[in-house]
């Protein structure tokens, strides 16, 4: 290596290309270009040959060079370094800012350095071709061509082309998106073998397309599956060198073209390919409008955590052997590419396909490590290859019909559903409880306040009541209502109904009279077991029975009509009502065999036994109540009923658990989220806390000291279908675990096909846990309980939950929200559960609910929240606090503070009871402080708006990056402090930015010495 010749060669290239000698300075808040003169030398040479490990030292210095930030106003934006590892081994490190360089420029630089080095090495002057013009001359010509009329035409095209595509395509990642991205990336590589590569080229040729178009269409289709989207926007870089004279210039010409794929009408792949070809050709004809200007013109919502409009990019790279691209050819020197372990990424995913002209295409997927693990990225490439293989074989197939999963993945999914386990004979609740009574008749079965009931007493009392019920018409497939307070009589009544062969219908005395009347009529209840104090809540003419009636009528005769075997496994066990989308409650019919399957799994999995104490917490009309009660009794444990007034309070409940020695308890999600703030492991005997019913959201600081078992399952699946044990603190609150015994879980697309690991879809349930259906509603039953195309045996059924989820790589399910919780606000689709999660994560917010509401004739996104503690944010602060976390279109317009969130009887948020907000959504609020008035005046002047309010948003007001630069410059001149450009994007309202400026001024003053402060005060006096 001749270091001097290399230095002269690189210095010559820098002298020829003014882009490499550029700095950017701000004058009056406007960026200006400053081009320095030709340098004498640019190559910094360091000798590492004496280092103990020269290669490691070189790696560290190369990584440091990549991390070293550029000062745009002061530093050269091109740096060159040569690290000497040994006499015949060197590392050339080139670091350049992207604003003056692109991939095309790298080839030009390599070519010119190669020619100049060879000449200098031979003692000659290089003869490089003259450049047709300077970079900035070309830039001026391009800007001149962007007349207002041309910009208007371009913007009109792009607005029509992008249509109603969402501003963000959010894939289900391994981690939530951070507020501020690190831009760290890693990559996975893959190959499209000779057969597939040939098929891609043949398919392109048959349809007047290029391999680029085929590969891009497939990429967009797979992105749509992973993002559960019908519209996908992918960024494709355009070289931007539209004239021949551009081809020899170093500089930043590249532009990003946002290409939309429309899959909303279920197209075939050939139709999608045709759309991609047309869109690509149209886009290239309009590539002169810079992407950044397009984003500003479209007024797209922005947030720091994600790029606007484009989060995924695609590019095909052409060239010889691939690795030789951009490498200089130096005589007598072997030059190879240095494999840098550090990678960055501007997007969530960047897919590069290298086409070297050979028989194999190679893929390189760069992924943001903030969001994805390597296994997830590798799985995406497998899905991409599987999709490509399928469409090359059958191009006319509809995109939605193309499978993503290969044989290995299908076997893995099948293995996760291999849950078959024999349910032991005698698992029916009545027969199983009889065995418990036989073993320990004197053991305490139920405690409620001061009342205690042994297993023998429970058996005898339920026998007497069952005899009376049979005489009153309760038997197989008949329903008896039970309207009793939580306690011993309730357990006696439920058991008696089952012993009589019937099914019980739990009733809550707080139900509206009309709803109770409907339930009794709809379920065809033959009678209601109640007590005198509650009988008045029943409709007139209802046949009633009390436990006291059974005691008075007892004559010792056996149950009439009872058989030794009892009802068959498929007999109806109980009926539960859940809310219906039509406004009419749905009656879910649960059979004995499905409940026996649940209890068999529960007793085995949780090692529940006679030494345990279980506290019953759920509302008795909630499906979990049956799980709590029967689970405790069949284990021979003590079932404890706390006072009714204990249940709503987590503090009281924690105290009750401690006093009673409770070892196992179930709590609804909302209650569990409060309980885990307490040191349960230290203050109670609890060994397991069970929870379910909603998305479980533990906080990073929650450490109860006991395992928390998060379960998932609708009432139609007999309480629960999956479970997972969490050790807190954890961030895995969305995990709902694996299927329980004899239950299968499928994540399916709209055509009832498995979507693959990591891909979101709707959760469907199958197997032994399914309910019979809905009483008296055959059409609704047929709609929700479908024939199971994946069943291992004929006649299987599949229940559509309406929930979204995905399989994780380790075989657990992750809950992603409701399929019907997605709303559209101002043209943007909003998943309200994401907004709710962001609100609940704020300090001082205990609970939150979000929904659209019509206010003053306009649909607005409204957030209801429950403030907590002294640090609870004020209502007018919430939008600013959410702005760094959520994109603009997801920010609620109105916030309504509540003392507590309204809940249904089952403990879930009652969205129908949320009070409607009143008044305008975004009223004008004038600046109140001197700083707010100063900031508002700057905005008004720079943005050209006569009136600016405290809550006005920078981007909504017409702001963009260049205007932000002018604002920070004006604020610097006004307040004498440096205002980081990032603050304008983070603090997007006048009020928020003013508070940030006040904080900066305060910090500046506090850092001053006494002499500096006095001098500043004197200067202020002089200016007066």
């Amino acid at each position: 290596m001749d270091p001097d010749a290399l230095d002269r060669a690189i210095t010559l290239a820098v002298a020829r290309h003014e882009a490499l000698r550029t700095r950017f300075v701000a004058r009056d808040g406007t960026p200006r270009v400053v081009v320095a003169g030709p340098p004498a030398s640019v190559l910094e040479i360091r000798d590492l040959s004496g280092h103990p490990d020269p290669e490691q030292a070189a790696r560290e210095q190369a990584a440091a060079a990549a991390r070293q930030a550029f000062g745009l106003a002061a530093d050269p934006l091109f740096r060159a370094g040569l690290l000497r590892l040994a006499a015949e081994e060197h590392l050339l490190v080139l670091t350049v800012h992207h604003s003056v360089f692109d991939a095309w420029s790298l080839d030009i630089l390599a070519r010119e350095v190669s020619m100049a080095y060879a000449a200098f090495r031979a003692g000659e002057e290089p003869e490089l071709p003259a450049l047709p013009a300077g970079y900035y001359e070309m830039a001026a010509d391009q800007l001149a061509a962007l007349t207002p009329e041309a910009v208007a035409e371009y913007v009109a095209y792009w607005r029509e082309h992008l249509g109603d595509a969402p501003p963000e395509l959010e894939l289900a990642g391994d981690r939530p998106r951070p507020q501020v991205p690190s831009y760290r990336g890693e990559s996975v590589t893959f190959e499209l073998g000779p057969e597939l590569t040939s098929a891609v080229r043949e398919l392109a040729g048959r349809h007047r397309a290029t391999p680029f178009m085929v590969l891009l269409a497939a990429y967009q289709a797979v992105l749509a599956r992973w993002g559960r989207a019908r519209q996908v926007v992918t960024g494709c870089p355009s070289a931007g060198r539209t004239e021949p004279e551009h081809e020899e210039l170093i500089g930043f010409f590249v532009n990003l073209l946002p290409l939309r794929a429309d899959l909303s009408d279920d197209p075939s792949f050939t139709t999608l390919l045709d759309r991609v070809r047309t869109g690509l050709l149209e886009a290239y004809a309009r590539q002169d409008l810079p992407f950044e200007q397009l984003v500003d013109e479209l007024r797209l919502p922005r947030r720091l955590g994600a790029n606007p409009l484009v989060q995924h990019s695609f590019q095909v790279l052409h060239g010889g052997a691939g690795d030789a691209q951009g490498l200089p050819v130096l005589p007598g020197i072997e030059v190879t590419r240095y494999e840098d372990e550090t990678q960055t990424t501007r997007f969530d995913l960047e897919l590069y396909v290298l086409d070297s002209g050979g028989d194999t295409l190679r893929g390189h997927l760069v992924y943001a490590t903030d969001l994805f693990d390597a296994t997830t990225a590798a799985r995406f490439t497998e899905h991409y290859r599987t999709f490509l293989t399928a469409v090359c074989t059958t191009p006319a197939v509809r995109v939605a019909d193309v499978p993503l999963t290969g044989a290995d993945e299908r076997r893995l999914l099948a293995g996760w559903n291999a849950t078959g386990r024999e349910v032991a004979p005698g698992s029916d609740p009545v027969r199983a409880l009889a065995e418990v009574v036989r073993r320990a008749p004197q053991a305490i079965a139920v405690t409620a306040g001061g009342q205690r009931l042994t297993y023998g007493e429970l058996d005898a009392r339920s026998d007497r009541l069952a005899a009376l019920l049979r005489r009153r018409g309760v038997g197989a497939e008949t329903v008896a209502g039970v309207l009793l307070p939580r306690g011993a009589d309730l357990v006696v009544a439920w058991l008696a109904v089952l012993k009589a062969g019937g099914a019980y219908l739990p009733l809550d005395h707080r139900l509206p009279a009309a709803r109770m009347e409907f339930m009794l009529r709809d379920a065809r209840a033959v009678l209601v077991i109640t007590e005198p104090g509650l009988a008045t809540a029943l409709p007139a003419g209802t046949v009633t029975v009390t436990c006291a009636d059974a005691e008075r009528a007892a004559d010792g005769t056996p149950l009439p009509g009872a058989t030794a075997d009892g009802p068959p496994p498929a007999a109806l066990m109980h009926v539960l009502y859940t809310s219906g989308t039509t406004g009419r409650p749905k009656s879910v019919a649960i059979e004995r065999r499905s409940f026996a399957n649940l209890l068999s799994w529960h007793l085995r999995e949780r090692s529940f036994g006679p030494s345990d104490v279980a506290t019953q917490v759920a509302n008795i009309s909630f499906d979990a109540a049956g799980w709590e009660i029967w689970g405790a009794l069949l284990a021979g444990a003590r079932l404890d009923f706390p006072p009714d007034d204990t249940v709503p309070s987590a503090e009281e409940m924690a105290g009750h658990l401690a006093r009673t020695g409770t070892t196992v308890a179930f709590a609804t999600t909302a209650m569990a989220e409060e309980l885990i703030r307490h040191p349960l492991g230290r203050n109670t005997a609890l060994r397991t806390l069970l929870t379910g019913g909603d998305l479980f959201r533990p906080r990073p600081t929650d450490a109860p000291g006991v395992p928390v078992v998060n379960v998932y399952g609708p009432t139609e699946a007999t309480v629960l279908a999956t479970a997972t044990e969490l050790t807190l603190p954890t961030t895995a609150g969305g995990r709902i675990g694996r299927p329980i015994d004899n239950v299968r879980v499928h994540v399916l697309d709209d055509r009832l096909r498995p979507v693959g690991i990591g891909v979101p879809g709707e959760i469907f349930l199958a197997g032994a846990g399914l309910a019979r259906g809905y009483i008296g509603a055959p059409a609704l039953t047929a709609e929700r309980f479908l024939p199971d195309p994946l069943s291992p045996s004929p006649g299987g059924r599949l229940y559509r939950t309406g929930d979204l989820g995905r399989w994780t790589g380790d075989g657990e399910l992750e809950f992603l929200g409701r399929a019907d919780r997605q709303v559209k606000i101002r043209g943007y689709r909003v998943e309200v559960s994401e907004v709710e999660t962001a609100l609940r994560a704020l300090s001082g917010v205990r609970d939150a609910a979000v929904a659209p509401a019509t206010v003053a004739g306009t649909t607005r996104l409204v957030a209801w929240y429950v403030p907590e503690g002294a640090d609870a944010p004020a209502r007018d602060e919430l939008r600013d606090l959410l702005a760094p976390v959520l994109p603009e279109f997801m920010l609620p317009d109105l916030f309504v503070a509540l003392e507590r969130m309204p809940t249904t009887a089952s403990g879930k948020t009652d969205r129908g009871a949320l009070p409607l907000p009143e008044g305008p959504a975004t009223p004008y609020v004038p600046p109140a402080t001197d700083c707010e008035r100063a900031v508002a005046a700057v905005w008004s002047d720079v943005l050209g708006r006569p009136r600016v309010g405290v809550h006005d948003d920078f981007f909504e007001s017409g702001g963009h990056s260049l205007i932000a630069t002018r604002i920070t410059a004006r604020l610097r001149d006004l307040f004498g402090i440096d205002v980081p450009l990032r603050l304008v994007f983070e603090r997007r309202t006048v009020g928020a930015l003013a508070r940030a400026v006040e904080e900066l001024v305060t910090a500046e003053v506090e850092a001053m010495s006494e002499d500096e402060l006095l001098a500043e005060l004197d200067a202020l006096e002089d200016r007066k």
Side-chain angles (χ1 to χ4, degrees):
M1 166 62 68
D2 186 339
D4 179 65
L6 183 61
D7 182 22
R8 293 174 65 192
I10 296 175
T11 302
L12 177 60
V14 173
R16 281 169 53 83
H17 296 278
E18 56 190 357
L20 299 180
R21 295 180 275 115
T22 294
R23 293 181 294 116
F24 297 101
V25 300
R27 293 176 183 167
D28 299 326
T30 302
R32 302 289 183 186
V33 171
V34 175
V35 180
S41 172
V42 296
L43 187 64
E44 180 183 355
I45 301 174
R46 298 181 184 178
D47 190 348
L48 303 178
S49 60
H51 194 279
D53 188 345
E55 185 172 344
Q56 179 61 29
R59 286 186 177 276
E60 292 172 358
Q61 292 199 19
R67 290 194 301 267
Q68 182 182 347
F70 287 97
L72 295 181
D75 296 342
L77 301 185
F78 174 84
R79 300 192 293 255
L82 184 68
L83 306 178
R84 184 175 186 269
L85 280 67
E88 296 185 350
E89 187 174 3
H90 296 75
L91 179 63
L92 177 62
V93 181
L94 303 178
T95 313
V96 59
H97 196 279
H98 206 351
S99 62
V100 297
F101 206 79
D102 56 20
W104 190 298
S105 299
L106 184 61
D107 287 331
I108 298 173
L109 179 64
R111 185 166 60 250
E112 292 194 2
V113 168
S114 300
M115 295 171 65
Y117 180 86
F120 288 133
R121 194 83 173 85
E124 302 171 355
E125 285 298 315
E127 295 182 2
L128 300 179
L131 298 177
Y135 173 70
Y136 291 108
E137 183 180 343
M138 296 295 178
D141 291 342
Q142 285 189 333
L143 288 173
L146 288 176
T147 63
E149 294 78 15
V151 171
E153 190 273 329
Y154 290 149
V155 172
Y157 164 77
W158 284 111
R159 182 172 281 118
E160 180 180 359
H161 170 73
L162 295 172
D164 60 351
E168 290 186 19
L169 176 63
E170 193 77 32
L171 306 187
D174 298 296
R175 285 166 292 282
R177 185 181 296 276
Q179 296 182 23
V180 179
S182 70
Y183 299 107
R184 287 190 295 270
E186 293 183 3
S187 62
V188 294
T189 59
F190 61 99
E191 288 188 352
L192 307 180
E195 185 176 346
L196 181 53
T197 296
S198 175
V200 167
R201 291 168 177 162
E202 290 176 4
L203 176 61
R206 290 199 306 270
H207 292 275
R208 298 183 299 112
T210 64
F212 178 98
M213 296 171 182
V214 173
L215 296 167
L216 172 60
Y219 181 52
Q220 292 180 312
V222 177
L223 284 173
R225 292 281 194 88
W226 275 58
R228 197 174 169 81
R230 302 280 183 149
Q231 309 273 347
V232 174
V233 176
T234 306
C236 290
S238 162
R241 298 171 187 261
T242 56
E243 302 296 335
E245 54 266 30
H246 298 168
E247 296 181 2
E248 298 303 322
L249 286 177
I250 288 178
F252 184 80
F253 286 85
V254 71
N255 191 23
L256 190 67
L257 303 180
L259 302 177
R260 179 182 69 129
D262 182 5
L263 297 99
S264 58
D265 59 348
D266 194 19
S268 66
F269 183 74
T270 52
T271 300
L272 176 62
L273 180 58
D274 183 63
R275 291 173 182 174
V276 167
R277 182 185 66 245
T278 301
L280 194 60
L281 296 176
E282 291 178 351
Y284 277 131
R286 296 164 178 83
Q287 63 177 300
D288 291 336
L289 183 67
F291 176 75
E292 293 77 11
Q293 186 174 352
L294 173 63
V295 170
D296 289 337
E297 294 284 351
L298 294 178
R299 300 285 178 88
L300 294 173
R302 303 196 198 187
R303 59 169 166 166
L304 289 175
N307 286 298
L309 189 58
V310 170
Q311 295 83 45
H312 310 89
S313 69
F314 177 81
Q315 190 173 6
V316 172
L317 303 175
H318 296 276
D323 287 339
Q325 258 193 324
L327 294 182
V329 178
L330 307 179
I333 304 295
E334 179 186 355
V335 182
T336 57
R337 187 179 303 280
Y338 168 76
E339 294 299 332
D340 185 6
E341 296 177 356
T342 62
Q343 295 188 64
T344 60
T345 177
R346 295 164 295 157
F347 302 103
D348 296 357
L349 293 178
E350 301 178 26
L351 178 59
Y352 300 91
V353 178
L354 177 63
D355 187 351
S356 60
D359 63 357
T360 297
L361 295 171
R362 288 191 293 150
H364 187 74
L365 182 70
V366 181
Y367 60 93
T369 55
D370 286 343
L371 305 175
F372 304 107
D373 292 330
T375 53
T376 302
R379 190 174 303 113
F380 183 93
T381 65
E382 285 297 320
H383 287 177
Y384 179 64
R385 183 161 41 198
T386 302
F387 184 93
L388 264 176
T389 301
V391 297
C392 286
T393 303
T394 314
V397 65
R398 295 200 176 277
V399 172
D401 289 333
V402 180
L404 295 184
T405 57
D408 290 343
E409 189 170 347
R410 288 194 293 272
R411 279 193 293 270
L412 193 59
L413 290 170
W416 292 340
N417 270 319
T419 59
R421 183 183 289 267
E422 184 178 357
V423 178
S427 296
D428 175 86
V430 174
R431 279 178 282 181
L433 188 56
E435 178 60 24
V436 173
V437 172
R438 187 191 64 78
R439 289 197 307 264
Q442 299 305 314
I444 301 298
V446 180
T447 56
Q451 188 179 14
R452 299 164 71 87
L453 193 68
T454 67
Y455 276 95
E457 292 168 338
L458 171 61
D459 184 53
R461 287 188 57 190
S462 60
D463 271 349
R464 292 190 288 271
L465 179 56
L468 178 59
L469 294 178
R470 289 300 297 264
R471 288 193 290 269
R472 297 287 182 91
V474 176
E477 299 301 313
T478 61
V479 175
V482 179
L483 178 61
L484 289 169
R486 298 159 72 245
D489 283 355
L490 176 76
V491 179
V492 169
W494 282 14
L495 180 55
V497 173
L498 296 184
K499 285 184 172 182
Y504 59 87
L505 166 64
L507 297 169
D508 187 341
H509 68 277
R510 292 166 293 189
L511 287 174
R515 187 179 181 94
M516 189 178 297
E517 181 179 6
F518 167 82
M519 291 166 60
L520 291 170
R521 183 177 66 253
D522 184 66
R524 299 179 179 86
V526 296
L527 54 80
V528 175
I529 306 169
T530 187
E531 61 183 28
L534 296 178
T536 55
L538 293 168
T542 302
V543 177
T544 62
V545 170
T546 69
C547 292
D549 292 339
E551 296 303 313
R552 287 190 294 269
D555 56 8
T557 58
L559 302 185
T563 65
D565 294 332
L572 191 63
M573 176 174 171
H574 62 182
V575 178
L576 296 171
Y577 277 80
T578 65
S579 60
T581 55
T582 62
R584 167 180 165 160
K586 297 179 297 186
S587 53
V588 184
I590 306 295
E591 296 177 341
R592 294 188 179 221
R593 58 185 173 183
S594 63
F595 218 91
N597 183 74
L598 167 67
L599 295 174
S600 175
W601 166 85
H602 175 63
L603 297 177
R604 175 183 56 80
E605 186 72 16
R606 305 273 29 112
S607 301
F608 217 177
S611 61
D612 282 301
V613 178
T615 291
Q616 198 278 318
V617 179
N619 183 286
I620 54 95
S621 62
F622 185 34
D623 58 358
W627 178 35
E628 294 175 286
I629 291 173
W630 297 118
L633 295 177
L634 270 59
R638 174 160 61 89
L639 175 65
D640 170 71
F641 286 96
D644 277 342
D645 58 1
T646 302
V647 174
S649 164
E651 290 75 14
E652 288 289 334
M653 179 54 65
H656 181 84
L657 296 177
R659 290 190 299 272
T660 56
T662 296
T663 58
V664 179
F666 170 86
T668 59
T669 304
M671 171 68 76
E673 289 172 352
E674 296 297 320
L675 279 174
I676 59 177
R677 299 186 184 185
H678 297 264
L680 301 175
R682 185 173 70 245
N683 296 345
T684 74
L686 203 64
R687 63 179 181 85
T688 303
L689 177 64
L690 307 163
T691 186
D694 210 338
L695 178 62
F696 184 52
R697 299 169 295 261
R699 303 189 180 200
T701 55
D702 292 335
V706 298
V708 177
V709 177
N710 187 31
V711 305
Y712 162 82
T715 301
E716 289 85 346
T718 311
V719 187
L720 65 97
T722 70
T724 186
E725 184 172 309
L726 304 174
T727 300
L728 302 182
T730 181
T731 57
R735 294 287 188 101
I736 55 176
R738 296 173 180 264
I740 68 170
D741 294 350
N742 303 306
V743 170
R744 299 185 304 281
V745 181
H746 303 290
V747 183
L748 307 179
D749 61 17
D750 295 339
R751 286 171 165 77
L752 304 186
R753 287 169 311 208
V755 295
I757 300 169
V759 181
E762 187 173 350
I763 298 175
F764 288 77
L765 305 176
L770 294 193
R772 178 185 297 178
Y774 304 110
I775 292 178
L780 182 60
T781 299
E783 176 188 334
R784 305 300 295 187
F785 293 85
L786 312 174
D788 184 4
L790 305 172
S791 176
S793 56
R797 295 181 305 148
L798 200 62
Y799 174 68
R800 178 190 295 271
T801 68
D803 293 329
L804 297 178
R806 66 167 186 160
W807 287 105
T808 62
D810 56 1
E812 287 211 335
L813 282 157
E814 181 180 359
F815 179 80
L816 300 176
R818 285 290 297 174
D820 55 5
R821 292 283 309 281
Q822 195 178 74
V823 299
K824 207 166 189 179
I825 301 292
R826 294 185 292 276
Y828 298 113
R829 283 184 283 271
V830 176
E831 181 67 43
V832 296
S833 60
E834 184 178 354
V835 186
E836 291 171 350
T837 299
L839 261 172
R840 293 187 184 103
L842 297 178
S843 177
V845 175
R846 180 175 182 177
D847 200 3
V850 176
T854 301
V855 181
T858 304
T859 300
R860 302 289 187 182
L861 194 62
V862 181
W864 292 264
Y865 71 105
V866 180
E868 179 183 56
D871 63 341
R875 185 164 53 186
D876 58 358
E877 296 176 333
L878 287 169
R879 189 176 172 88
D880 291 342
L881 292 172
L882 290 174
V885 184
L886 300 172
E888 173 62 26
F889 68 92
M890 292 182 71
L891 293 177
D893 300 300
L894 288 174
F895 296 86
V896 180
L898 302 173
E899 289 187 5
R900 64 169 54 199
M901 201 63 65
T903 57
T904 63
S906 62
K908 297 182 180 181
T909 300
D910 187 356
R911 298 178 181 275
L914 293 168
L916 288 177
E918 298 178 356
T922 52
Y924 169 75
V925 178
T929 67
D930 289 341
C931 192
E932 286 180 351
R933 283 188 284 269
V935 172
V938 170
W939 278 37
S940 178
D941 184 38
V942 175
L943 292 167
R945 297 184 62 195
R947 189 175 79 163
V948 176
V950 171
H951 301 306
D952 287 4
D953 181 271
F954 174 69
F955 288 112
E956 286 186 354
S957 302
H960 52 72
S961 54
L962 292 182
I963 287 179
T965 303
R966 295 175 60 192
I967 286 177
T968 57
R970 292 282 297 275
L971 293 176
R972 181 178 62 247
D973 295 340
L974 187 62
F975 291 97
I977 57 171
D978 286 328
V979 179
L981 185 65
R982 178 181 291 270
L983 273 185
V984 181
F985 300 100
E986 290 179 339
R987 310 288 183 91
R988 291 166 50 164
T989 65
V990 167
L993 185 58
R995 287 191 292 273
V997 169
E998 288 174 342
E999 293 168 3
L1000 290 173
V1001 171
T1002 301
E1004 185 90 1
V1005 171
E1006 290 177 348
M1008 287 181 176
S1009 65
E1010 186 175 345
D1011 291 341
E1012 290 173 328
L1013 195 55
L1014 290 174
E1016 189 67 26
L1017 292 174
D1018 290 341
L1020 288 173
E1021 286 296 323
D1022 293 342
R1023 285 198 289 271
K1024 290 182 179 178

